[in-house]
Amino acid sequence: MALAKSETGETVQWAAITGVIATVSVFAIAQGLSYPLLSFILQRQGVSPAVIGLSAAMTPVGFILSSPLIPGLARRFGAGRTALTCAGLSALVLALIGWTQDVYLWFPLRFLVGVVTNPLYVLSEIWVIALAPPSRRGRVMGIYSTIISAGFAAGPLCLLAVGTEGWPPFLVGIFAFLFCGACLAVVVKRLPKVDEAGEKVSVLGFMPLAWLLLSAVVAAAGFEQSVLALLPVYGTHFGIPETRMSALLSTMIAGNIAMQVPLGLLAERLTARLVRFGCVSVTVLGCALLPALIETPLIWPCVFIWGAVSYGIYTMSIIELGERFTGSALVAGNAAFSLMWGVGGILVPPLTGGVMDLIGAAGLPVTLGAICAALAVATIIRRQVV
């Protein structure tokens, strides 16, 4: 086993960490490819945008409903066996989607995609948290967040190479899930037994233990999904071309990818909680500045930083989760993170869109700024109470 010593004398299992991160990065590529692929196919079939949106929502619904089951599955069958089974099932369900090509059958199948991929993602993230030594947890989780974000971004790029018609794009996703399982199989015996330690904790039982962390996950997920869906709509209010808005979204994603390691290093010097508060505060500032900067060249560095700090809220929450919890509580906590990510992604974009319908384009920065400001206030109040 490849081991190294950190500056504090802790053993760092880099081989196991690399194997798990490789697993989740390949998973991210497969997931990032499937969302636009299925939307393109449905669009060619003449399916309405509303139905396409409902179809896409089935996967996060699968995330939400499967999350409470993950701790029990890990205890009963073992985390490694559960994750390996889910990798195989993910490939099988994607193959069924490619075979059916039917919008109505895709509803239950896309729900199953969420159900079977969620444990793979959650357990991989738990292993990275558990393997990262405390003195290096910030940089390790920063690397993890960077690579998984890059994987999701690389998924759509695969479609440029293989197209969106026939079996080739599905085969890329299927083999990606199988390769994901192969990467995991190589290192599974080196992974910590996170499912066996300590008192059993359920997802619902975990929620009162870390309500502020879970609120941060809801805010981060809601922000990301709302901006990806509604920033182009916001730009049309100012007469900004679609190509420029697409470039702004790409710049935002680039900030997300580029800055998670520096934020993780900062968390090692300060604390994850303090850096998270800073990320929330800068996100609120970005919301306040958006109307003034959207038509100026300063919008480019603004959205780059916006992307970095908004996703940094989630990265810092993961780090703090690893600092505060171990064993069964860590498994339940990460499953709760996945559940709350789904909740944020489903609830916040419609809320933001509704406010935009009521007050115009300003509803985007107002709604997202208010959510993040409430999170900042809650953080201050909790700190004072503690």
Side-chain angles (χ1 to χ4, degrees):
M1 186 185 303
L3 302 175
K5 290 284 187 179
S6 69
E7 294 89 340
T8 59
E10 298 163 317
T11 299
V12 186
Q13 301 181 46
W14 285 116
I17 291 173
T18 301
V20 176
I21 291 180
T23 297
V24 81
S25 64
V26 177
F27 160 85
I29 292 172
Q31 285 287 83
L33 173 145
S34 65
Y35 277 100
L37 169 63
L38 301 185
S39 294
F40 285 136
I41 293 173
L42 291 175
Q43 194 172 32
R44 283 201 300 269
Q45 293 178 355
V47 176
S48 70
V51 174
I52 292 175
L54 286 173
S55 177
M58 291 299 101
T59 297
V61 169
F63 290 162
I64 292 172
L65 295 183
S66 65
S67 292
L69 305 177
I70 295 173
L73 289 172
R75 285 194 299 267
R76 183 180 179 91
F77 302 107
R81 186 177 300 173
T82 299
L84 287 169
T85 301
C86 286
L89 290 175
S90 299
L92 175 61
V93 175
L94 187 58
L96 288 173
I97 290 174
W99 179 57
T100 56
Q101 296 282 316
D102 183 279
V103 61
Y104 299 107
L105 289 176
W106 279 12
F107 275 83
L109 288 173
R110 295 186 80 169
F111 171 77
L112 286 176
V113 167
V115 171
V116 298
T117 59
N118 194 32
L120 177 62
Y121 173 77
V122 168
L123 292 171
S124 296
E125 189 163 272
I126 291 167
W127 281 318
V128 177
I129 295 170
L131 287 165
S135 67
R136 293 192 174 189
R137 184 170 284 127
R139 71 192 73 182
V140 170
M141 298 315 299
I143 292 169
Y144 166 84
S145 294
T146 295
I147 291 177
I148 195 170
S149 297
F152 277 116
L157 296 179
C158 293
L159 297 179
L160 296 178
V162 300
T164 61
E165 298 185 4
W167 274 102
F170 286 99
L171 290 175
V172 171
I174 291 165
F175 283 116
F177 279 126
L178 294 176
F179 185 69
C180 173
C183 291
L184 183 59
V186 170
V187 298
V188 69
K189 292 184 178 179
R190 305 179 180 183
L191 301 177
K193 305 293 183 181
V194 294
D195 50 299
E196 297 177 358
E199 180 184 354
K200 294 180 180 178
V201 180
S202 68
V203 170
L204 292 178
F206 176 84
M207 289 184 176
L209 303 177
W211 62 269
L212 187 60
L213 281 181
L214 297 174
S215 299
V217 173
V218 172
F223 183 94
E224 179 182 85
Q225 298 301 314
S226 296
V227 169
L228 289 176
L230 297 172
L231 189 63
V233 179
Y234 181 85
T236 60
H237 174 79
F238 296 90
I240 298 174
E242 291 182 3
T243 53
R244 178 180 169 91
M245 295 309 300
S246 297
L248 283 173
L249 284 176
S250 298
T251 302
M252 185 173 179
I253 294 170
N256 171 355
I257 294 171
M259 295 302 294
Q260 298 313 304
V261 173
L263 288 172
L265 290 169
L266 187 61
E268 291 177 8
R269 290 184 172 272
L270 304 174
T271 64
R273 181 180 299 179
L274 183 59
V275 177
R276 188 181 73 242
F277 178 76
C279 287
V280 173
S281 301
V282 176
T283 301
V284 174
L285 178 62
C287 291
L289 292 176
L290 181 64
L293 299 182
I294 188 66
E295 296 181 275
T296 74
L298 291 176
I299 191 62
W300 298 98
C302 177
V303 296
F304 182 88
I305 296 170
W306 219 27
V309 295
S310 60
Y311 195 75
I313 297 170
Y314 182 74
T315 302
M316 295 305 111
S317 299
I318 299 175
I319 295 171
E320 187 174 342
L321 179 71
E323 291 172 348
R324 292 173 53 187
F325 301 98
T326 59
S328 178
L330 180 60
V331 177
N334 210 270
F337 268 36
S338 179
L339 190 155
M340 289 298 140
W341 185 272
V343 169
I346 287 176
L347 294 184
V348 178
L351 171 64
T352 305
V355 176
M356 292 177 74
D357 284 342
L358 288 174
I359 67 173
L364 177 70
V366 167
T367 306
L368 298 181
I371 291 172
C372 291
L375 179 61
V377 171
T379 303
I380 294 171
I381 292 173
R382 186 186 183 281
R383 183 65 176 172
Q384 290 176 341
V385 170
V386 174

